[in-house]
Structure formats: C-alpha cells, structure tokens
C-alpha cells in the first residue's frame, strides 16, 4: 500500500484536528464526537489513527502532569 | 547624563592616580564631593574658555564611553566564537558519519558519500509512511534551505533524506515523497543492509513497529537533522525544537567560520 501523499496527509490531519477540537470542547466525551471519529478513521490509515490516538493520550497526560504535578509511586514497604 | 559622563571621567582620573584599571562596574554613583568638584568648573561658567573645556571633556567622555562599548562588544563576540568552536570540536570528537554509504537515489541513480563531498549537507532520516513528524521536519528542512538560498554569498546546501524503512520505501515511493518538499531534496534508499549501514554511521535509532492487518506499521526512529561540512564531517545537529530560521542561522554561522579556516 502506498504512503499518503501531501494532499492526503493534509486531509487526514484536518479531520484529526476537527476531532480533537470536538473532544476538547466536550471534555473528551467520545460519544459526542462519534461522527468526527468515524470521519477521522475513514480519512487516515489505520496505523495513523492508532498513532494519533496514543499521541492525544500522551499530550493529555503531559498537560495533567504540568498542571497538577507529579507524585511518584510509593516504593515497596519494608517489613519492620 | 552629562553629570554621569563627567563622573566617569573624574573616576578615571582617580583610578589612574591609584594605578587601577577601569572596569565597567566602577561607573557607579560616587559620594557628592567629586560631583561638586566637577560642577564648580571655572570662576565664570559662561566664558568661552570654560565652554571649550566642556567640549573637550565631552569629547573625551564620548570617546572613552565608545571605547568601553567597543571593548565589551569585541569580548562578547569572541566568547561566542569560542563557544561555537568548542561545540564543533566536541561534535568532531563524537565523529559521526566517518564511514561511507552507498545508496540509490529517488531517480534510481547510485550515490555514495563521495558524491556529496564538497557540498554542505543537511541530512534527515525518516520514512514515507510517517504520520506527522517526518513531513514536519522535512518542511522545516526545506524552509531552512530556502532561507539559505536567499543569501547569494553562501554556497548552496544539499538536503538529503535517507529512509529507515527500505522494505517499503523503494525508488518509486521515494520519488513520490520527495517532490512535496524542496526541489533539491534527494531521497536515498537501498537494500536493508545498505540502509542499516548508513544509519549506523550516524548512530540513528530505527525500530519498525508491529504490522497490522493491512501490513502497515510505524517505524520508531530518532528525529534529528544533521549538518555535514563539505569534507563530510558531522558538524552540528538540530532537533524538533529548532525552527527553520534557527537552523538557517546556525548553518550560515558554520559556513562563515568554516570558510575562514
């Protein structure tokens, strides 16, 4: 299968941006953006859909860390 | 303003007498006594004699101030040069790209590292099925080359794209891909072994991910733009945080200091 060309990339990125804007406006409630989600999955290769979904999760996680701070997990407790 | 310059001059006279050298930090507000000494000029401050003396003092102050500024500017420039040279020396020690590579370009012509000696090269490793990073970086690379093209005094830069996905990125795939970027961009591919050899030369990390039901996969890889000098040495690198203007500025700085050598 051939790689998307410049125009196809742009179409995919635009649909991703619309989807992400919708998710931002709806507090990440996937149900409200189902149509845009379907559009996004149709316009982008499956690998890219997976990649961009993971990327969004990462960006949200990063934002949370930067605003709420990071609490390291507790280590194993020693038996006294 | 006048009083300050005068203060500086009076201070200079003070320092000379005590045999110290004047530093910029010494131009600070002094206790009132020297100030009154300056302001009580001659007996008649409006006489032409006093006016001439004032002009001479102004001139000397300006020259002195100008001299200080010039000295500071020179020291600052020299420090920048030194830092740049240190960085280049460090990168030279890392000695990336010492070997040769033999690859095929997007027109099917075989190219080796020798072919690019004599030109400045901006090199990027990526793959055509890349979702967003490679197109972004190649756009940035193309923009940087375009900025450098505008300066007629600089030699032309050769942009290169080497694939980390030789399995899918053959000559036709590369040809399709590179035409979306700078017209001089050359795409390079080869057998798995040839590509791996080139990547190893530049310590490029590349790891194809798992294939999905369409046989599609993403290649995880290090994201860097490498600058090579005309004698094939690795001189500098630019990560995702550098924009095209910063890259162009850095390349032109390297070019200018390189020519002087």
């Amino acid at each position: 299968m051939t790689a998307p060309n410049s125009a196809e990339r742009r179409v995919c990125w635009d649909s991703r941006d619309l989807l992400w804007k919708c998710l931002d406006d709806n507090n990440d409630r996937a149900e409200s953006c189902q149509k845009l989600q379907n559009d996004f999955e149709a316009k982008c290769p499956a690998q890219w859909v997976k990649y961009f979904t993971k990327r969004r999760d990462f960006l949200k996680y990063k934002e949370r860390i930067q605003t709420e701070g990071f609490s390291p997990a507790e280590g194993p407790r020693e038996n006294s | 303003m006048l009083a300050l310059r005068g203060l500086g001059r009076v201070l200079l006279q003070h320092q000379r007498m005590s045999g110290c050298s004047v530093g910029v930090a010494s131009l600070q507000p002094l206790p009132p006594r020297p100030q009154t000494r300056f302001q009580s000029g001659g007996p008649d401050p409006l006489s032409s004699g006093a006016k001439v003396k004032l002009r001479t003092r102004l001139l000397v102050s300006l020259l002195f101030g100008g001299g200080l500024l010039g000295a500071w500017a020179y020291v600052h420039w020299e420090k920048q040069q030194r830092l740049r040279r240190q960085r280049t020396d460090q990168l030279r020690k890392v000695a990336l790209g010492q070997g040769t590579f033999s690859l095929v370009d997007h027109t099917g012509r075989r190219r080796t590292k020798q072919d690019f000696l004599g030109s400045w090269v901006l090199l990027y490793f990526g793959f055509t099925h890349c979702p967003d990073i490679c197109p972004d970086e190649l756009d940035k690379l193309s923009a940087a080359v375009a900025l450098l093209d505008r300066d007629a005094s600089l030699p032309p830069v050769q942009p290169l794209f080497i694939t980390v996905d030789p399995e899918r990125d053959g000559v036709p795939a590369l040809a399709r891909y590179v035409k979306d970027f700078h017209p001089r961009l050359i795409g390079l591919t080869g057998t798995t072994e040839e590509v791996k050899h080139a990547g190893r030369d530049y310590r490029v990390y590349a790891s194809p991910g798992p294939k999905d039901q369409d046989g599609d996969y993403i290649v995880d890889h290090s994201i860097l733009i490498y600058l090579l000098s005309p004698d094939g040495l690795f001189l500098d690198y630019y990560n995702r945080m550098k924009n095209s203007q910063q890259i162009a500025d850095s390349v032109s700085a390297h070019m200018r200091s390189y020519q002087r050598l």
Side-chain angles (χ1 to χ4, degrees), chain B residues 244-255:
Chain B
S244 49
Q245 183 64 60
Q246 289 167 319
I247 296 178
D249 289 341
S250 169
V251 173
S252 54
H254 275 288
M255 282 176 168

Side-chain angles (χ1 to χ4, degrees), chain A residues 1-9, chain B residues 105-107 128-129 138 161 168-182 185 187:
Chain A
M1 66 169 264
T2 56
N5 64 23
S6 173
E8 290 163 354
R9 282 198 294 266
Chain B
D105 76 11
H106 65 274
T107 66
T128 66
H129 282 72
L138 282 172
F161 171 70
R168 284 186 298 187
D169 291 347
V171 169
L174 272 188
R176 252 195 316 269
Y177 196 65
V178 300
K179 65 174 161 58
D180 286 333
F181 305 103
H182 195 278
L185 178 67

